[in-house]
Amino acid sequence: MAQTLQETAAPVGRVGRPRRFESEDELRLLLDAALVVMERNGYADAAVADILREANLSTRSFYRHFESKDQLLCALCRREAEGALLRLEAKVGAAGNPQAALDAWIDEILSFGHQQVKAARVSVLSSPGAMKAEGYVEETQHATRVLMAPLERLLADGLADGSFPLADPVADAPLIQSVAWAAAGLSPMQERVLSRPEASRRVRSFCERALGATPFR
């Protein structure tokens, strides 16, 4: 007996609503919107619904990428750290010698506390609410490592060519990073925010003495 049309037709799967954006673009929109909402409301009061409204995306879009707001924050921290690393490597790489490279590294780190857009981002990503997020400690440790890597390399270059005769790259890099971070006004123990010129002068003075370098020009 001939099969009926219903019996011979291939099964039709349910077709969901097509994505409006490619996955990478969708992720970028979510992270960009999260920054806007967090800078406006603070991390604790930045609801996922507010982020989705800012991004003009659906709840499904959020859960395609993240299981929680904490996970989104960690992704945002990772993106900001990697962007900062690209800027650092470009500036350090363009310097003509280790001392100029250190100067460029210091200037970029100080910009996190003194350049308005960067300072606003650092403020929200290091707020008390954000610091309680699951995975936050690991992301800040990662950021510290990646920002310190160019510093450690340029210190090794300076030791090799005599620019920094007293340098111990592995031991000195964390100390210099801590001094620069505090001078930028980003240390929780910092009581007074220094002007950028004063912050720059203090960090460079510390580096000259610690590394045995000639005074920065």
Side-chain angles (χ1 to χ4, degrees), residues 74-94:
C74 290
L76 191 53
C77 289
R78 180 65 60 105
R79 187 183 76 166
E80 293 301 303
E82 291 175 352
L85 176 61
L86 288 175
R87 293 192 300 272
L88 269 176
E89 289 185 329
K91 292 181 178 181
V92 167

Side-chain angles (χ1 to χ4, degrees), residues 1-12:
M1 181 183 295
Q3 291 178 306
T4 66
L5 180 62
Q6 184 175 3
E7 290 172 329
T8 58
V12 178

Side-chain angles (χ1 to χ4, degrees), residues 60-187:
R60 181 179 297 177
S61 297
F62 181 88
Y63 288 106
R64 266 197 288 265
H65 299 278
F66 306 111
E67 295 179 359
S68 65
K69 188 176 73 169
D70 284 358
Q71 199 176 81
L72 181 150
L73 175 73
C74 290
L76 191 53
C77 289
R78 180 65 60 105
R79 187 183 76 166
E80 293 301 303
E82 291 175 352
L85 176 61
L86 288 175
R87 293 192 300 272
L88 269 176
E89 289 185 329
K91 292 181 178 181
V92 167
N97 55 64
Q99 193 176 64
L102 178 56
D103 201 43
W105 185 91
I106 292 169
D107 189 65
E108 180 64 22
I109 295 298
L110 292 181
S111 74
F112 297 150
H114 290 90
Q115 201 276 334
Q116 186 175 2
V117 173
K118 292 179 187 177
R121 291 185 177 186
V122 171
S123 178
V124 72
L125 294 178
S126 60
S127 64
M131 292 172 68
K132 297 176 183 177
E134 184 178 356
Y136 180 83
V137 171
E138 291 78 8
E139 286 304 320
T140 56
Q141 290 171 343
H142 169 76
T144 297
R145 287 194 300 271
V146 300
L147 297 181
M148 194 163 56
L151 173 61
E152 191 172 317
R153 289 196 299 269
L154 71 86
L155 292 178
D157 291 342
L159 177 62
D161 76 358
S163 300
F164 307 138
L166 303 182
D168 180 343
V170 174
D172 292 343
L175 295 175
I176 293 172
Q177 179 150 301
S178 295
V179 169
W181 202 249
L186 301 171
S187 169

